[in-house]
Amino acid sequence: MKAKARLSVDERWELVDEISKRVVLRGKYKHTLKDVLSDLSVRPATGIPFMIAVLYGFWMFFGAFAGFFTDGLAVPFFDDHYLPALQGAFPGAGPTMAESSPLYMILVGDPNATNCFEAFGVLTSALFVAFGVVLPAIVAFYLILTILEDCGYLPRLATLADTVLHKIGLHGFAIVPTILSLGCNVPAVYGCRVLETKKQRFMMMTLLGVFIPCAAQIGIMRELIPQYTGLILIYLFFGFFAMGALLNKLIPGRSPEILIDVPPYRSPQRSNVLRKLGLRVRHFLKTAVPFVILGVVVVNLLYWTGVIDWLSRVTEPLFVVWFGVPAATVGALVMAFMRKDMAVGMLGGLASAGVLSTGQLITSVVLVSIYFPCLATFIMIWKEGGTRDLLKSLGVLATSFFVFGGLMHAIVTLAGV
Amino acid sequence: MKKILLVGNPNVGKSVMFSRLSGARVVVSNYPGTTVDYTKSRMRVEGKEYEIVDLPGTFSLEPKDKAEEVACKMLEEAKPHTAAVIDVIDATAVERGLYLTLELIERGYPVVVALNMSDAARDRKIKIDVKKLERILGVPVVETIATTGAGLKELVSKIGKAKPTDIEAVKRRLRREKK
C-alpha cells in the first residue's frame, strides 16, 4: 500500500475552488439593515462614537443594577438588621475585638462594628461582600457582556482597537481577553490562547494579571468610592498601555498582523444568554465564595497570631514613605492574594474606621489592584505560561507595583485629596 | 469508547452543536475563539454510546496559535478511536471550510460534513448543491441550523455512514461532475 496522497497548500486551494465552482451558486445579495449597522460600527468616524456609547451604557447599567441591589437591598439588610442581630446573639463577644473569643473574632469580627465592611468576620464581611456587593456586580456585568458577545459586537470592537493596540505590539483581538478580564481574569488568561506568538501571549497574560481589575473588584470599588472608580480605572488602563509599550520594546519576538474575522450581527437568543449567565454566576459561587471565606479566616488568624502586625512593622517605611499609606494596608495586601474584592472591602473598613484618608484609600485601592493577581489567576498564568513566564510576570508586577503605586501617591498628594 | 469529534473553522457553531447533541452546557458566543480547549461529553447514536468532543476552531491542520494546537493535537491523538469527525462548515463561507475538509479527507478521517448556518446562507442568496457536494466528496453532507436544531437529526443518522475516502478519489469524482 502506498501512503495516502497529500496535497500542497496551493493544490488544495485549487481543488477547493474547483469544487465550489460546481456546488455553490451565489445570487444577487441585497444589503440589509444588519449590514449597514455592521459597516457603521467598524468605520472609525461612526464606530468610535458608537463604541463610546456602548461602553458608557455598559458602565451606567452596571452601576444602576449593582447599586439597586447593593445599596437598595443588601446594605440596609446587612447593616441594620443582620449585623446587630448577629453581634448580639453570637456567644463570646467581648468589649473589643481583642477581648472576644477567637471563634467570635473569626466568624463575626469586631463586636463594635457598625457596618459589614468594618466587622471583618466570615459571617459578616465575607457574606456581605460575596453576596451583597459582588454577586449583583457579577450578574450585571455578565448580563451585558453576554449580550455583547452573542450579538457579535466584540470582534467589531477589536477592529476599532486594532490601531491603538498595534502600537504596543498587540493585535486588536487582544481587546476581547481584556473585556473578559473585566469580568474575571481567569478565563481571560485562558482566552489568550487565540493570540499567535508566545510574546503576545505572555504580554497579554501579564498585562491582564497586573492591570485589569475584575468585576468583583470593580463592584466593590463602585460601592466604596463611586466618585473615584472611573478615574482609578482610567489610571489602570493608562498603566496597561504604558507597561505594554515598554514590554513590546523589551521582549524579543514577533507581533504579526492577523486578520480579524468579523461575524455578522445576530440577535442574541434569550435561552443562551440566560444559560451563559447562569454558568458564569455558578462558576463565581463555586470558585470565588470559598476563597473569600478562606481569605477572611486566614487573615484573621494572621492577625490573631501577630503575623500581620509584624509584617506591618517591617514594611512600614516602604508604605509610609513611598506609597504614603499607613502600614495597616498590609493586611489588605495579604487578603488580596486570596481575593481582591475582599481586600478592597477591607480597605473600605479601614477607611470607615478612620485609619485611611480618601487619598490614601485611592492609593491603596490602586496598590491592591496591581499587586499580585489573585491566587486563581496566579495558578492560571502558571498553567498557561509555565514557571519561567510566571517569574517574568512577577518581575513586571513588582516593577509596576512600585512605579504606579508611587505615581498615584504623587498624584493624590498634588491633587490634595 | 469510540469518539465523535466536532471540527471546523472558528465561529461556525461547533459549540452550539455540541450542546444540542450532548445536552452538555458549554459557553457559546458570536465571536471566533470562544472555545480554546476541548470539552468532552457523551451521546448515544443508534443505541451505541460515544464520547463527543468539542474542539477549538481551526482553519487548517497546521496550527497557527495555541487554541489551534489543542485542536490538531486532539485530532491526532484521537485518530485510532475516532468513529466520525463532524466537520462543521459555515454555509456562508464554504470555501474556507472545504479547505479543512480536504485536509481531513487526506489524513483519512471518517468525515460527515455539516453545512451549518444554512439559514444565513439562504438569506444571503447562497445556494449549495448538497447532493453534488456529497457525490464529489464521497462523504455525507447535511444542511443544519445548530441554533434551532434543524437538520441535526439527519446529521446524527449519518454519523454511522462516515467513512474514510481519499483525495485521489475526490479528484476523480470531481472530473466526472464536470461533464
Side-chain angles (χ1 to χ4, degrees):
Chain A
M1 275 289 286
K2 69 177 171 94
K4 280 236 159 71
R6 294 259 179 106
L7 305 176
S8 73
V9 174
D10 289 340
E11 286 173 331
R12 207 175 287 129
W13 276 122
E14 225 166 89
L15 190 53
V16 165
D17 210 44
E18 289 297 315
I19 297 175
S20 96
K21 264 188 211 156
R22 284 168 185 72
V23 297
V24 184
L25 191 76
R26 289 195 158 77
K28 261 222 166 69
Y29 178 60
K30 268 215 330 259
H31 275 256
T32 60
L33 182 65
K34 268 192 207 167
D35 300 295
V36 177
L37 279 178
S38 173
D39 206 38
L40 287 178
S41 55
V42 291
R43 201 171 290 161
T46 45
I48 289 171
F50 186 66
M51 172 184 81
I52 293 170
V54 168
L55 295 179
Y56 185 74
F58 196 159
W59 178 242
M60 292 314 282
F61 177 83
F62 181 77
F65 185 98
F68 173 77
F69 283 99
T70 303
D71 301 325
L73 298 175
V75 170
F77 169 74
F78 272 95
D79 288 355
D80 301 342
H81 303 284
Y82 177 74
L83 181 66
L86 193 70
Q87 281 166 330
F90 203 88
T96 65
M97 191 140 136
E99 289 162 273
S100 308
S101 75
L103 193 66
Y104 186 93
M105 199 178 122
I106 290 174
L107 293 181
V108 184
D110 189 345
N112 303 313
T114 53
N115 66 57
C116 272
F117 274 127
E118 270 175 56
F120 212 69
V122 170
L123 297 176
T124 53
S125 295
L127 285 189
F128 169 67
V129 166
F131 294 102
V133 186
V134 174
L135 185 62
I138 296 275
V139 172
F141 181 86
Y142 279 124
L143 183 61
I144 300 292
L145 179 72
T146 305
I147 292 170
L148 287 182
E149 274 183 346
D150 285 15
C151 72
Y153 184 63
L154 294 185
R156 290 172 174 83
L157 196 59
T159 329
L160 285 173
D162 198 48
T163 342
V164 190
L165 285 170
H166 251 105
K167 291 204 166 55
I168 61 166
L170 288 169
H171 180 260
F173 205 80
I175 199 78
V176 174
T178 310
I179 300 265
L180 290 181
S181 202
L182 288 167
C184 175
N185 288 1
V186 174
V189 168
Y190 213 35
C192 289
R193 286 184 174 189
V194 297
L195 298 173
E196 209 172 335
T197 63
K198 214 169 160 357
K199 170 185 177 170
Q200 289 180 317
R201 285 198 293 268
F202 168 74
M203 271 182 67
M204 199 60 211
M205 283 194 290
T206 306
L207 292 175
L208 294 179
V210 175
F211 290 105
I212 306 294
C214 63
Q217 198 190 336
I218 299 172
I220 202 151
M221 276 155 68
R222 194 208 55 82
E223 180 60 25
L224 286 169
I225 30 172
Q227 67 276 42
Y228 296 110
T229 306
L231 289 175
I232 292 178
L233 288 179
I234 289 170
Y235 183 70
L236 291 172
F237 281 126
F238 161 74
F240 180 98
F241 279 103
M243 207 60 194
L246 185 68
L247 287 177
N248 186 32
K249 288 255 153 53
L250 292 179
I251 303 172
R254 289 182 317 128
S255 301
E257 308 254 348
I258 10 174
L259 295 169
I260 302 174
D261 208 17
V262 180
Y265 276 128
R266 298 191 174 107
S267 36
Q269 289 191 327
R270 205 177 58 181
S271 60
N272 191 51
V273 170
L274 292 179
R275 180 168 48 208
K276 222 162 24 161
L277 186 62
L279 273 175
R280 284 165 162 168
V281 170
R282 208 164 321 147
H283 176 81
F284 164 76
L285 293 177
K286 267 206 298 229
T287 59
V289 175
F291 274 109
V292 169
I293 290 171
L294 183 74
V296 171
V297 172
V298 168
V299 168
N300 274 332
L301 284 176
L302 291 178
Y303 265 118
W304 192 55
T305 50
V307 174
I308 288 186
D309 286 331
W310 175 79
L311 268 178
S312 304
R313 266 200 310 282
V314 175
T315 53
E316 185 156 9
L318 169 71
F319 280 93
V320 174
V321 176
W322 185 254
F323 297 128
V325 296
T329 315
V330 169
L333 289 182
V334 173
M335 182 70 225
F337 187 64
M338 316 275 185
R339 281 298 294 181
K340 290 197 176 185
D341 43 6
M342 196 61 224
V344 177
M346 222 174 139
L347 292 172
L350 291 174
S352 87
V355 182
L356 292 176
S357 70
T358 307
Q360 289 171 329
L361 180 60
I362 295 173
T363 310
S364 45
V365 168
V366 168
L367 289 179
V368 163
S369 303
I370 295 178
Y371 161 88
F372 238 79
C374 67
L375 195 55
T377 310
F378 183 81
I379 293 171
M380 202 48 160
I381 294 180
W382 187 41
K383 263 185 17 199
E384 289 291 299
T387 311
R388 259 183 66 126
D389 272 7
L390 180 70
L391 291 176
K392 280 196 286 181
S393 272
L394 293 183
V396 176
L397 186 132
T399 317
S400 310
F401 184 67
F402 283 101
V403 172
F404 290 99
L407 187 62
M408 197 70 216
H409 175 204
I411 293 172
V412 292
T413 311
L414 287 175
V417 186
Chain B
M1 197 186 311
K2 288 278 190 184
K3 288 180 166 53
I4 296 171
L5 309 177
L6 275 161
V7 181
N9 295 163
N11 212 39
V12 296
K14 292 176 294 300
S15 299
V16 183
M17 212 169 265
F18 177 78
S19 291
R20 286 259 172 197
L21 293 175
S22 69
R25 294 168 166 203
V26 284
V27 171
V28 175
S29 311
N30 181 19
Y31 65 86
T34 308
T35 312
V36 292
D37 204 349
Y38 61 80
T39 318
K40 292 178 174 180
S41 187
R42 300 272 172 96
M43 73 177 284
R44 289 185 85 78
V45 180
E46 288 153 9
K48 262 202 292 187
E49 184 125 339
Y50 291 91
E51 184 174 71
I52 176 164
V53 191
D54 180 26
L55 298 183
T58 183
F59 285 109
S60 84
L61 295 181
E62 277 120 44
K64 283 187 75 186
D65 62 44
K66 239 184 135 184
E68 294 196 355
E69 254 168 52
V70 172
C72 297
K73 217 177 127 205
M74 184 75 197
L75 266 166
E76 194 104 340
E77 283 172 5
K79 197 170 175 186
H81 323 287
T82 302
V85 168
I86 300 180
D87 172 26
V88 187
I89 292 183
D90 174 353
T92 64
V94 179
E95 289 79 5
R96 265 198 342 203
L98 279 179
Y99 184 88
L100 183 65
T101 312
L102 293 182
E103 275 190 308
L104 289 166
I105 289 176
E106 283 168 50
R107 295 183 195 211
Y109 287 98
V111 177
V112 186
V113 174
L115 277 175
N116 197 31
M117 307 197 223
S118 49
D119 50 342
R122 212 166 356 219
D123 289 347
R124 293 177 171 225
K125 310 272 182 275
I126 298 171
K127 275 208 187 96
I128 300 165
D129 190 335
V130 178
K131 284 285 155 260
K132 200 189 247 180
L133 183 59
E134 203 168 58
R135 279 201 302 272
I136 294 173
L137 293 176
V139 302
V141 179
V142 182
E143 283 189 292
T144 58
I145 309 168
T147 48
T148 64
L152 293 191
K153 222 173 187 167
E154 194 192 343
L155 180 72
V156 171
S157 74
K158 297 280 172 75
I159 285 175
K161 298 195 175 67
K163 55 179 189 300
T165 168
D166 74 276
I167 205 75
E168 290 306 323
V170 173
K171 282 184 180 166
R172 270 200 306 278
R173 291 189 291 255
L174 179 74
R175 280 195 292 272
R176 257 205 310 268
E177 288 299 330
K178 205 175 246 173
K179 287 164 199 162

